[in-house]
Amino acid sequence: MTVSALTLQLLTAEDPAGLLPAREQMALSLGWHIVLACFGVAFPAMIFVVHRRGIVRDDPVALGLAKRWSKVSAVLFAIGAVSGTVLSFEMGLLWPGLMGPFGDVLGLPFAFEGLSFFVEAIFLGIYLYGWGRMPPRRHLLMLLPMATAGVVGTFCVISVNAWMNAPAGFTMVDGEVTNVDPWAAMFNDLAFMQFLHMWVAAFMVVGFTVSGVYAVGMLRGRRDAHHRLGFIVPFVFATVAALTQPFIGHLLGGNLGDRQPAKLAAFELAETTESPSPLRIGGVLVDGEVRWAIDIPVLGSLIAQNSFTEPVPGLDTIPPEDQPPVNFTHWAFQTMIGVGTLLAGAVLLFWLLRWRGRDLLERRWFLRFAATAGPLAVVALEAGWIATEVGRQPWVVYGVLRTTEAAGSNSGLWWLLGATVVVYAGMTTGAVVVLRSMARRWRAGETDLPSPYGPEPREEVAR
Amino acid sequence: MTLPMLVVAALFVGVLAYALFGGADFGSGFYDLTAGGAVKGAELRTLVDHSIGPVWEANHVWLIYVLVMWWTAFPETFASTMSTLILPMLLALLGIVLRGASFAFRKYAGTLGQARLFGAVFAVSSVVTPFFLGAVAGAIASGRVPATGRGDLWSSWLNPTSLFGGAIAVGTCAFLAGTFLTADAVRSGAERLSEELRRRTLAVGVVTGAVVFAALVPLTRDAPTLTDGLAGRAAPLVVLSGLAGTATLVLLVRRRPAVARITALGAVAAVVLGWGVAQYPYLLVDEITIADAAGAPATLRALLVAVVLAGVIVVPALTYLFRLTQSEEWTHS
């Protein structure tokens, strides 16, 4: 119901023809790419750990994992690279009203992101093809520039999104952008905290997803050293990330009430200003009234404003034309919080029991949960992006440029959206088919995975 | 040199690098596509895999670099170009997506049937993509992209200059890839394969050269500003390109593909550079100059910082990658 409500809300306004398809297009391509971007950011660090262990401790199990993960990353990074390119094109194709006037304000971080993408792609090529062709220790070190590039790249891209929430580095004079300071735009107030939030989220997504793969293996009775190590390394990364994330999220949202009161009101489903504000769980806003919500008194003020009395400003203080789609934002936000809390609780339970000498990896219910933790982390990631993006509406640059002004007039974009759905569905299917066949062949004892298209391999070379 | 000129020069280095190295990766799709059946083409396709596998993603980033530099330094022209040329841009993008994804999928495909499917998608999209990028260049060079707003959706890129631009892009990509693949085949000792590639590269080179000459006539009518520049300021580059192209053919005939790579790069670089020099001082021909299109000076200065960093970080890393792929240990799979 929320999606159709959003659609209705959008359709009823006087919007340029290119607006709604552009938004759906952006949501699809960004929502798809962000999952792969997570792998680009977090996977090299995990591969580094197992690869290093393989070399330093002369551990063939760890080295085997590193080889497999590097082949998986070859597939994931390739589709991540091309889906990222889609976004570069879309910036101009879908949002001429943003890129024309503001390109020189927001563009600089993208230039640095381009550099980190270069570094990542170069060292990925060296790492993937370096197996058996380089001194092992130098080969291992090739992962470090990739991991570093992941940090820098995340900061740069997120810095642009943070700028859209907290615009800086320019002044508007009679509708003209003047006084441009790209450094101030890049290092805006939100950039660092929002970067941390996303960077840690990447480790949650990848950590839980990869450990989930080995949890499935253990569920099917494959309880060897390979599966235990393959589970535990990414799970440790995910643990640290899942336990830090609530604090980062809280700090990021700290002064949201001052910065973007409409977004906070939507997050908290605050129709009116109540002092102290309750924490409102669930619920739907129908005709200006909150229905079916569970209210926990005072907690809303405490979490959102760090105060026992200071209220969350209600939606009734915000002009209707400046309000985001409330229900959609609220539910997306609470989905993120709910899933994040669940995942943090689960890892806490795992390590507490392990400390007490009980291993949850022996429990089928926990393995089943661990297998779903990856998809759950993806849900939290997507919900978080929906919350922040839809919650910023109707603005694309908060308080400066409305989304309607950024879109073009091209109604043909619906065709583009349809084609994109087809291509992305095909790409997803291709990736799933190929990755599954890789796993199947590995289980059957193959290591090299020669291309069926190639000639018979002349000699066995690990690659 | 003025600030906008410095930035546009840095941007054009990216265009050049993408045309040469990204172009060579795309061009290999031509030989892959025409390699024959699964058994007959196996050796060539393995060579293509091995030649572009380690480098294609790095070479692809030049495109990102160009887009980012463009929208940051010359934002209004980026918006108007994207709006006007949305169709060729999207078709190029589709090709880029399909090429990259299916190349990676083919390498790890589990069955011959899947590998053939992914391989066909990879090869076709590799051949087709440069056409649309060439058409985009033709649209800009013939003055069909307005400085602001949106030009015609169709005639902006379905015109003589764009069509020839697209054809020349496809041809030069295949020509570059042919010399590179021939040299790689020679280095890895695949004699029969290198002979086959050598012959086909020669054919591609002759056809591409003929297309370039054939383009000169319609170009004078369709893109007068560009033609003036090509006949004037850029004339030495045009001559140089012709000489280097001929030298490449001669070197290929004489079985010196390793040297032919350098002359082939020179020939294509001269063509691309010639286009840039010929349309100077316009960013969008007949519409807006580089100086007028430039964004905020503070941003241009900041971009130069990024460019310097690219020179310090990316260029050495890229050189290292290229040197590794040409080394003895990396040649034999």
Side-chain angles (χ1 to χ4, degrees):
Chain A
M1 106 125 235
T2 45
V3 176
S4 61
L6 172 71
T7 313
L8 199 71
Q9 229 162 337
L10 287 167
L11 278 177
T12 44
E14 288 167 40
D15 293 335
L19 179 65
L20 186 57
R23 295 184 67 173
E24 306 285 336
Q25 173 84 16
M26 203 69 196
L28 169 65
S29 45
L30 199 58
W32 203 87
H33 175 70
I34 190 71
V35 179
L36 292 158
C38 287
F39 276 86
V41 170
F43 211 15
M46 294 177 203
I47 302 176
F48 182 83
V49 169
V50 286
H51 192 164
R52 186 178 170 279
R53 186 186 165 107
I55 291 179
V56 173
R57 299 199 193 172
D58 206 9
D59 177 348
V61 170
L63 205 58
L65 278 172
K67 283 181 183 167
R68 288 186 186 187
W69 290 358
S70 90
K71 286 190 171 74
V72 169
S73 70
V75 174
L76 294 179
F77 289 14
I79 53 181
V82 297
S83 59
T85 308
V86 172
L87 295 172
S88 296
F89 276 78
E90 283 177 350
M91 295 295 283
L93 294 171
L94 305 178
W95 310 110
L98 170 67
M99 295 313 286
F102 292 95
D104 55 353
V105 186
L106 62 80
L108 185 64
F110 281 124
F112 290 110
E113 199 275 336
L115 296 191
S116 39
F117 186 17
F118 253 127
V119 170
E120 180 141 20
I122 291 167
F123 286 95
L124 173 71
I126 298 177
Y127 183 70
L128 289 182
Y129 284 77
W131 288 101
R133 296 194 176 103
M134 294 174 89
R137 276 171 196 270
R138 195 199 302 167
H139 182 223
L140 169 69
L141 291 181
M142 297 299 128
L143 286 164
L144 293 182
M146 288 170 71
T148 314
V151 179
V152 178
T154 309
F155 175 83
C156 292
V157 171
I158 296 303
S159 141
V160 178
N161 187 266
W163 174 85
M164 291 158 73
N165 283 311
F170 68 98
T171 35
M172 294 298 281
V173 179
D174 302 329
E176 288 288 315
V177 180
T178 53
N179 223 350
V180 176
D181 178 357
W183 299 103
M186 181 165 166
F187 296 100
N188 60 73
D189 293 345
L190 267 185
F192 185 70
M193 285 314 292
Q194 216 186 304
F195 147 73
L196 267 189
H197 196 43
M198 180 62 228
W199 190 58
V200 170
F203 279 89
M204 286 178 69
V205 165
V206 180
F208 282 122
T209 304
V210 177
S211 59
V213 169
Y214 293 92
V216 171
M218 283 189 256
L219 271 174
R220 293 182 183 160
R222 294 189 281 272
R223 291 182 167 273
D224 46 13
H226 172 83
H227 280 79
R228 293 191 79 87
L229 190 65
F231 177 86
I232 211 72
V233 169
F235 193 74
V236 167
F237 276 99
T239 299
V240 176
L243 292 179
T244 346
Q245 191 67 297
F247 297 98
I248 297 172
H250 180 70
L251 288 175
L252 174 63
N255 56 349
L256 187 63
D258 301 328
R259 254 191 353 251
Q260 291 174 304
K263 187 187 265 186
L264 180 65
F267 278 180
E268 302 295 332
L269 203 65
E271 167 54 20
T272 55
T273 310
E274 293 174 57
S275 180
S277 303
L279 178 67
R280 193 155 279 160
I281 297 174
V284 183
L285 192 66
V286 185
D287 300 327
E289 248 179 83
V290 178
R291 302 258 182 95
W292 309 298
I294 303 165
D295 283 5
I296 303 174
V298 193
L299 208 52
S301 283
L302 200 61
I303 294 177
Q305 306 284 33
N306 284 328
S307 151
F308 285 105
T309 49
E310 199 181 330
V312 171
L315 283 162
D316 53 3
T317 62
I318 295 153
E321 69 270 19
D322 290 346
Q323 291 184 10
V326 177
N327 288 323
F328 198 35
T329 308
H330 172 69
W331 275 93
F333 179 72
Q334 293 214 322
T335 304
M336 173 189 77
I337 300 278
V339 174
T341 310
L342 174 69
L343 292 172
V347 295
L348 205 58
L349 181 71
F350 176 87
W351 292 106
L352 270 179
L353 288 178
R354 193 158 162 125
W355 176 54
R356 301 292 301 269
R358 281 177 57 195
D359 188 359
L360 282 182
L361 291 183
E362 304 297 329
R363 305 284 164 148
R364 292 189 70 82
W365 65 264
F366 181 79
L367 289 175
R368 280 201 200 95
F369 174 79
T372 59
L376 279 176
V378 172
V379 166
L381 172 82
E382 301 286 357
W385 274 106
I386 291 170
T388 187
E389 290 296 286
V390 177
R392 193 190 59 239
Q393 302 304 321
W395 304 98
V396 64
V397 182
Y398 184 73
V400 179
L401 184 76
R402 285 175 188 272
T403 314
T404 46
E405 298 166 302
S409 54
N410 209 329
S411 61
L413 290 180
W414 284 111
W415 289 102
L416 174 62
L417 181 60
T420 310
V421 170
V422 173
V423 171
Y424 276 48
M427 213 159 34
T428 310
T429 313
V432 170
V433 166
V434 168
L435 289 173
R436 285 179 64 111
S437 96
M438 288 163 78
R440 199 165 49 238
R441 281 176 283 160
W442 278 327
R443 283 200 297 277
E446 286 183 54
T447 48
D448 275 0
L449 308 188
S451 168
Y453 227 0
E456 292 299 310
R458 275 162 292 184
E459 53 191 320
E460 283 294 310
V461 175
R463 63 165 164 174
Chain B
M1 244 210 257
T2 61
L3 197 52
M5 268 311 292
L6 276 174
V7 174
V8 93
L11 191 158
F12 205 76
V13 167
V15 174
L16 207 54
Y18 188 59
L20 295 177
F21 300 114
D25 293 344
F26 279 116
S28 62
F30 171 77
Y31 304 92
D32 200 294
L33 186 65
T34 52
V39 177
K40 183 168 168 286
E43 197 182 4
L44 199 156
R45 292 194 174 100
T46 306
L47 179 72
V48 168
D49 241 21
H50 197 71
S51 286
I52 76 171
V55 295
W56 76 268
E57 281 183 85
N59 292 337
H60 166 76
V61 185
W62 286 111
L63 174 67
I64 308 293
Y65 168 89
V66 168
L67 291 176
V68 165
M69 291 287 285
W70 188 0
W71 83 47
T72 309
F74 308 97
E76 286 290 353
T77 61
F78 178 74
S80 68
T81 307
M82 281 296 186
S83 304
T84 305
L85 299 174
I86 183 167
L87 293 170
M89 287 287 188
L90 282 175
L91 290 166
L93 180 60
L94 177 67
I96 288 165
V97 168
L98 292 178
R99 189 277 300 243
S102 52
F103 180 72
F105 292 164
R106 175 172 85 171
K107 186 166 168 55
Y108 294 111
T111 66
L112 183 61
Q114 285 171 19
R116 291 174 75 138
L117 173 68
F118 293 134
V121 175
F122 157 71
V124 172
S125 52
S126 291
V127 173
V128 171
T129 305
F131 175 84
F132 297 107
L133 294 173
V136 165
I140 292 170
S142 60
R144 288 180 164 96
V145 180
T148 52
R150 192 169 92 183
D152 191 273
L153 277 186
W154 297 96
S155 70
S156 58
W157 64 286
L158 292 173
N159 58 70
T161 310
S162 285
L163 297 181
F164 273 106
I168 291 170
V170 172
T172 50
C173 286
F175 185 52
L176 275 176
T179 54
F180 275 71
L181 288 172
T182 308
D184 284 352
V186 168
R187 209 176 55 240
S188 62
E191 238 168 73
R192 197 191 52 77
L193 183 62
S194 68
E195 271 307 298
E196 186 193 327
L197 279 165
R198 191 179 69 93
R199 275 197 305 276
R200 288 162 63 192
T201 307
L202 277 169
V204 168
V206 170
V207 171
T208 307
V211 173
V212 171
F213 273 103
L216 293 177
V217 181
L219 220 61
T220 47
R221 252 172 301 161
D222 195 58
T225 307
L226 180 72
T227 317
D228 284 353
L230 285 174
R233 202 180 312 111
L237 286 165
V238 176
V239 173
L240 179 68
S241 171
L243 289 176
T246 315
T248 311
L249 294 177
V250 171
L251 285 164
L252 281 171
V253 169
R254 296 192 166 181
R255 294 191 168 75
R256 300 283 303 280
V259 191
R261 285 183 305 188
I262 296 160
T263 52
L265 284 172
V268 178
V271 169
V272 179
L273 200 57
W275 159 45
V277 170
Q279 74 161 60
Y280 177 84
Y282 286 114
L283 188 73
L284 301 174
V285 169
D286 298 339
E287 288 287 335
I288 190 163
T289 61
I290 295 162
D292 290 340
T299 304
L300 299 188
R301 276 192 295 274
L303 274 181
L304 289 180
V305 174
V307 170
V308 169
L309 277 179
V312 177
I313 297 169
V314 174
V315 172
L318 210 50
T319 313
Y320 181 49
L321 170 66
F322 285 166
R323 282 184 49 150
L324 280 177
T325 57
Q326 302 293 315
S327 69
E328 188 58 31
E329 294 84 4
W330 286 55
T331 298
H332 301 282
S333 53

